[in-house]
Amino acid sequence: MKVLVGGATGLVGGALVNYLTASRIEILRLSRSSSPAGEPTVRWDPAAGRLPAAELEGVDAVVHLAGETITGRWTEAKKSRIRSSRIDGTRLLSQTLAGLQRPPKVLICASAVGFYGDRGEETCTEQSAPGQGFLTDVVTEWEAATTAAKEAGIRVVHLRIGVVLSPSGGALAKMLLPFRLGLGGRIGSGRQYMSWVTLDDLVRMIDHLITHDEVCGVVNAVAPQAVTNAAFTRSLGRALRRPAVLPVPAFLIRLLFGEMGRSLLLSSTRVEPVVLGTSGYEFVHPTLDEALVELVRGN
Ligand SMILES: NC(=O)c1ccc[n+]([C@@H]2O[C@H](COP(=O)([O-])OP(=O)(O)OC[C@H]3O[C@@H](n4cnc5c(N)ncnc54)[C@H](OP(=O)(O)O)[C@@H]3O)[C@@H](O)[C@H]2O)c1
């Protein structure tokens, strides 16, 4: 089997390529730059609408994870890059795949639990209505950008990913130093829910979804137990054997990070992975305590 991976240079894409390669799956990368190690790569320029279609012929599955990082201050220019790198890039890829002589069977496209917005204690499933705000709007359009692929008969999966936990990048890696120094603590009230998934589980889920032909549409890529920020803080403190009692007030988050801080750190999203459960996916890390102990061990 040959799998095209967009965003293979990123946190999730890099881990996915390693995982699939170990299963002897052939990988073709989709990147804005060529691979320094000379790995097979299709170069594209999504901002300019350039993607060499002929180089995609013969691919069986596509996993698309590319997009401007959402961390950092959300200036108008940054928001525009967040939006266009996902929506325009996905539309270009989807239209190109639809026009191939032999289109791939499946397109698994990254999406995010940001779709559900700030929902307090409500549990959101794949059937839940959208929330409100910038992330909801981006995700809605991002998912709609795959229309051409769907119309061409390609099975499309929208992977609504939660906070990805890995010691080598993303949110957890940023938290490790302050928590190790005993400077960790809950954010704001700590009552906001956080839907998380370990990087190990995420790459296994993607592999599972590539082969499970019966699954299409929205799939929540989160562990079965979302936790509040206060519970996450306690769990990380325990895993590192450090006190985690210095709260970060909400006003400071708003001051330092503006809209990004409100949307990512203070809002509450409690998501359940219903479709993964019914499709028979078995989690490596279903609970946070065990996941964090394993992730921080030796790091
Ligand atoms: N990590 C998380 O906690 C999390 C949570 C929810 C959703 N997601 C979604 O999952 C996907 C993968 O996440 P990740 O953490 O692996 O992301 P990442 O490490 O930031 O990597 C994303 C990749 O996208 C490409 N990229 C970056 N800026 C781009 C731009 N302006 N235009 C086009 N391509 C660009 C880059 O590939 P090249 O330089 O090779 O082109 C990069 O390697 C993203 O779409 C993200 O929104 C992630």
Side-chain angles (χ1 to χ4, degrees), residues 171-187 194 228-248 265 288 292 296 299:
L172 179 63
K174 290 192 181 71
M175 285 185 247
L176 283 178
L177 181 62
F179 272 76
R180 282 218 162 91
L181 294 172
L183 300 173
R186 60 159 214 268
I187 296 175
M194 166 187 162
T228 62
N229 172 265
F232 183 89
T233 302
R234 283 194 298 274
S235 186
L236 184 55
R238 273 196 302 274
L240 291 167
R241 301 201 178 106
R242 291 284 187 280
V245 290
L246 291 176
V248 186
L265 302 173
L288 187 67
L292 286 178
V296 304
N299 278 282

Side-chain angles (χ1 to χ4, degrees), residues 107-157:
L107 166 62
I108 297 177
C109 194
S111 177
V113 296
F115 173 83
Y116 302 109
D118 188 4
R119 303 291 272 260
E121 303 211 337
E122 179 187 349
T123 298
C124 295
T125 71
E126 284 87 351
Q127 302 297 320
S128 297
Q132 280 180 343
F134 173 67
L135 287 181
T136 299
D137 295 347
V138 170
V139 172
T140 305
E141 279 193 73
W142 190 9
E143 293 183 356
T146 57
T147 302
K150 280 179 203 155
E151 286 174 357
I154 299 171
R155 175 168 66 94
V156 175
V157 174

Side-chain angles (χ1 to χ4, degrees), residues 58 86 136 149 182 216 221 233 253 269 291 299:
R86 287 177 173 73
T136 299
C216 71
T233 302
I253 294 290
T269 315
N299 278 282

Side-chain angles (χ1 to χ4, degrees), residues 101-288:
Q101 283 175 5
R102 188 173 77 85
K105 283 175 73 180
V106 57
L107 166 62
I108 297 177
C109 194
S111 177
V113 296
F115 173 83
Y116 302 109
D118 188 4
R119 303 291 272 260
E121 303 211 337
E122 179 187 349
T123 298
C124 295
T125 71
E126 284 87 351
Q127 302 297 320
S128 297
Q132 280 180 343
F134 173 67
L135 287 181
T136 299
D137 295 347
V138 170
V139 172
T140 305
E141 279 193 73
W142 190 9
E143 293 183 356
T146 57
T147 302
K150 280 179 203 155
E151 286 174 357
I154 299 171
R155 175 168 66 94
V156 175
V157 174
H158 302 291
L159 208 51
R160 288 191 187 148
I161 304 171
V163 177
V164 179
L165 299 183
S166 159
S168 44
L172 179 63
K174 290 192 181 71
M175 285 185 247
L176 283 178
L177 181 62
F179 272 76
R180 282 218 162 91
L181 294 172
L183 300 173
R186 60 159 214 268
I187 296 175
S189 72
R191 287 197 295 271
Q192 67 278 30
Y193 273 86
M194 166 187 162
S195 298
W196 58 276
V197 60
T198 64
L199 184 56
D200 277 354
D201 263 317
L202 184 54
V203 297
R204 285 174 166 82
M205 278 171 200
I206 294 172
D207 184 36
H208 172 90
L209 292 166
I210 288 174
T211 50
H212 278 66
D213 292 343
E214 74 285 4
V215 185
C216 71
V218 174
V219 175
N220 288 336
V222 295
Q225 282 182 1
V227 293
T228 62
N229 172 265
F232 183 89
T233 302
R234 283 194 298 274
S235 186
L236 184 55
R238 273 196 302 274
L240 291 167
R241 301 201 178 106
R242 291 284 187 280
V245 290
L246 291 176
V248 186
F251 83 85
L252 194 60
I253 294 290
R254 284 193 283 267
L255 190 73
L256 289 175
F257 303 113
E259 186 182 359
M260 189 278 279
R262 277 199 307 280
S263 300
L264 295 186
L265 302 173
L266 297 174
S267 80
S268 183
T269 315
R270 185 183 195 178
V271 178
E272 212 180 305
V274 175
V275 174
L276 279 173
T278 50
S279 78
Y281 178 75
E282 288 185 21
F283 282 84
V284 181
H285 298 124
T287 61
L288 187 67

